[in-house]
């Protein structure tokens, strides 16, 4: 009993990364991690760099975190790359951001393939620039048979729009007479969302000290553990992800056996 009260492990900071990873792997790994990658602009400002330099550095963090998540055995990683709100930013910044998928895939697609990662996307595809659509389409095609981590890019994504679109599809089925209103259940709604192939996130991470959901996966996050950190996304490294997963594991252990009851 007492060991539970003194569970804190101050030596964690001195462990090598490899030791930390193997320690974390011994416990339950979240099946699906979702991340709001905030703080890229602030990271750049602190260094007197243009905002786009922060976005570019943030792209490298996506690669780093994808590799570790895959290594840990995480099943799916969803990253919020561009929200439907982000169109309000200056045009030059948006133009730069819309080139990032091509650059990311141009550089990292070979290693994603080697790591058996499958790239997918959720969001409104049609209104993205053609070149962005093409890059993502090719990556999805090239990795469609991979069986490792699913790397899901939320791109031009908004959760309320996603829910509205699901409702329209369902309403249409009812109108046609192929569905009755009593068949509109939680499961049916889930099956019409853009995440229908994925489990619900077990862990949500938001960087940069903001504590809100910003129209991200509102339906899917109903039972998710939240982890907020002051760390800016470009500074978020392997140890930061392990901190978040360790915290998830500790919370899970505390609930032990209560799943679906008080733990809701
Ligand atoms: C973007 C870098 C990460 C921080 C947040 C904003 C900027 C990677 C991608 C990407 C998207 C699709 C894909 C491959 C890579 C990306 C956008 C922004 C729009 F198939 N990073 N990143 N896309 N940022």
């Amino acid at each position: 009993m007492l060991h539970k009260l003194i569970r804190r492990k101050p030596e964690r900071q001195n462990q090598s990364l490899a030791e930390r990873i193997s320690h974390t792997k011994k416990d339950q790994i979240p099946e699906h991690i979702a991340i709001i990658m905030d703080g890229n602009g602030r990271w750049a400002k602190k260094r007197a760099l243009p905002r786009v330099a922060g976005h570019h550095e943030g792209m490298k963090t996506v690669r780093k975190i994808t590799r570790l998540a895959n290594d840990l055995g995480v099943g799916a990683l969803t990253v919020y790359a561009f929200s439907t709100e982000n169109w309000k930013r200056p045009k030059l910044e948006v133009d730069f951001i819309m080139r990032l998928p091509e650059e990311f895939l141009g550089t990292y697609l070979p290693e994603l393939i080697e790591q058996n990662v499958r790239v997918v996307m959720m969001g409104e595809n049609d209104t993205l620039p053609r070149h962005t659509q093409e890059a993502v389409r090719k990556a999805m095609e090239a990795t469609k048979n991979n069986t490792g981590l699913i790397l899901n890019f939320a791109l031009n994504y908004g959760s309320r729009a996603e829910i509205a679109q699901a409702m329209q599809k369902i309403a249409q089925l009812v109108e046609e007479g192929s569905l009755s209103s009593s068949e509109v259940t939680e499961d049916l709604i889930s099956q019409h969302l853009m995440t229908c192939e994925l489990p619900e996130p077990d862990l949500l991470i938001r960087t940069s000290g903001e504590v809100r959901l910003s129209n991200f996966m509102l339906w899917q996050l109903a039972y998710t553990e939240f982890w907020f950190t002051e760390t800016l996304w470009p500074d978020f490294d392997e140890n930061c992800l392990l901190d978040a997963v360790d915290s998830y594991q500790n919370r899970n252990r505390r609930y032990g056996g209560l799943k679906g009851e008080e733990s809701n």
Side-chain angles (χ1 to χ4, degrees), residues 37 40 55 58-59 62 81 97 100-101 104-105 119 136 153 155 233:
M37 308 183 286
N40 303 289
H55 297 315
M59 182 189 77
V62 174
I97 290 175
L100 288 177
F104 181 95
L105 295 165
V119 175
V136 177
F153 286 98
L155 236 181
W233 178 248

Side-chain angles (χ1 to χ4, degrees), residues 147-180:
T147 55
L149 176 81
I150 298 176
L151 176 56
N152 180 30
F153 286 98
L155 236 181
N156 201 14
Y157 172 84
S159 181
R160 288 184 175 181
E162 175 195 33
I163 292 170
Q165 193 194 69
M167 293 311 148
Q168 285 184 11
K169 278 191 266 173
I170 292 168
Q172 199 182 348
L173 294 174
V174 174
E175 241 172 32
E176 289 167 8
S178 46
L179 194 71
S180 78

Side-chain angles (χ1 to χ4, degrees), residues 36-263:
I36 303 176
M37 308 183 286
D38 210 355
N40 303 289
R42 214 177 314 158
W43 181 92
K45 194 172 178 194
K46 274 189 9 190
R47 288 164 178 74
L49 294 168
R51 286 175 60 80
V52 293
H55 297 315
H56 194 262
E57 199 62 26
M59 182 189 77
K60 297 189 207 161
T61 305
V62 174
R63 175 219 192 184
K64 206 187 302 185
I65 295 310
T66 299
R67 250 194 310 195
L68 176 55
N70 194 29
D71 181 19
L72 287 173
V74 172
L77 178 68
T78 295
V79 290
Y80 207 177
F82 194 85
S83 80
T84 46
E85 296 300 302
N86 289 155
W87 293 111
K88 293 181 190 150
R89 293 182 180 178
K91 183 178 185 312
L92 281 176
E93 185 179 334
V94 171
D95 288 348
F96 180 92
I97 290 175
M98 285 303 158
R99 293 279 170 194
L100 288 177
E102 285 147 284
E103 182 173 353
F104 181 95
L105 295 165
T107 315
Y108 305 131
L109 186 58
E111 67 182 49
L112 293 175
I113 292 171
E114 191 198 299
Q115 291 160 23
N116 196 24
V117 170
R118 176 149 72 105
V119 175
V120 301
M121 167 199 152
M122 66 172 183
E124 199 187 290
N125 191 44
D126 303 352
T127 47
L128 288 170
R130 265 289 129 77
H131 62 87
T132 311
Q133 290 184 31
E134 261 310 284
V136 177
R137 192 193 60 74
K138 280 188 194 153
M140 296 198 306
E141 175 65 26
T143 60
K144 68 178 180 202
N145 294 320
N146 289 356
T147 55
L149 176 81
I150 298 176
L151 176 56
N152 180 30
F153 286 98
L155 236 181
N156 201 14
Y157 172 84
S159 181
R160 288 184 175 181
E162 175 195 33
I163 292 170
Q165 193 194 69
M167 293 311 148
Q168 285 184 11
K169 278 191 266 173
I170 292 168
Q172 199 182 348
L173 294 174
V174 174
E175 241 172 32
E176 289 167 8
S178 46
L179 194 71
S180 78
S181 62
S182 65
E183 289 172 302
V184 182
T185 59
E186 292 185 18
D187 269 348
L188 184 97
I189 293 170
S190 295
Q191 284 160 26
H192 285 80
L193 297 175
M194 292 164 175
T195 46
C196 59
E197 314 258 291
L198 302 175
E200 287 174 4
D202 304 295
L203 175 63
L204 170 80
I205 297 169
R206 180 163 190 162
T207 57
S208 172
E210 306 298 337
V211 185
R212 45 197 154 76
L213 285 181
S214 304
N215 202 18
F216 187 57
M217 300 182 90
L218 301 177
W219 177 276
Q220 297 90 338
L221 294 172
Y223 297 102
T224 304
E225 296 285 341
F226 290 4
W227 172 259
F228 297 103
T229 173
E230 295 286 331
T231 305
L232 307 177
W233 178 248
D235 293 326
F236 193 88
D237 63 8
E238 285 89 349
N239 275 300
C240 297
L241 181 65
L242 290 167
D243 287 344
V245 173
D246 284 354
S247 152
Y248 165 81
Q249 292 178 333
N250 287 333
R251 293 187 212 176
N252 241 13
R253 209 171 309 113
R254 240 172 290 145
Y255 290 144
L258 285 179
K259 276 268 165 201
E261 293 183 35
E262 287 96 313
S263 64

Side-chain angles (χ1 to χ4, degrees), residues 7-20:
R7 204 189 316 113
R8 279 208 54 74
K9 298 214 176 71
E11 75 276 17
R12 188 66 46 84
Q13 303 318 325
N14 300 321
Q15 277 178 326
S16 75
L17 185 59
E19 281 170 340
R20 271 202 85 177

